[in-house]
Amino acid sequence: MTKRTNKIITMEFMGHGKITIPKGTTVTNMTAIGIDENYNFINDLSWIEPHANGVKNYSLIHDATYYGIRVNSEDVETA
């Protein structure tokens, strides 16, 4: 059973400005202390665009990986 976003989500995230998460991005319920169905975090970060100069956006990738991008349960579907 795979969970994914059911729409395009645009939000502010940790000082990175507005980020846009594509519809169909996979979601996980894994937290630091195990699986919790009350939390939905973006699992696939391949949609993160590089900076204008072509360098990977390492700071956004870091924050998304170690802090997590949390999305609301109404924005998640099971496939």
Side-chain angles (χ1 to χ4, degrees):
M1 179 166 59
T2 303
K3 290 186 174 185
R4 62 183 179 208
T5 56
N6 62 12
K7 65 179 184 179
I8 295 170
I9 302 169
T10 301
M11 65 170 64
E12 294 281 333
F13 180 68
M14 295 188 71
H16 295 282
K18 288 191 186 243
I19 61 170
T20 301
I21 302 161
K23 179 181 178 179
T25 302
T26 57
V27 174
T28 182
N29 301 111
M30 183 60 71
T31 69
I33 58 171
I35 294 175
D36 187 334
E37 295 291 330
N38 296 313
Y39 294 91
N40 298 293
F41 294 100
I42 297 300
N43 192 40
D44 174 17
L45 303 177
S46 64
W47 53 270
I48 296 177
E49 298 281 333
H51 292 291
N53 62 2
V55 175
K56 281 188 174 183
N57 191 339
Y58 289 110
S59 63
L60 176 54
I61 292 168
H62 174 274
D63 289 348
T65 300
Y66 293 101
Y67 297 105
I69 301 172
R70 188 170 173 192
V71 293
N72 296 323
S73 58
E74 59 266 8
D75 298 333
V76 175
E77 66 185 11
T78 303

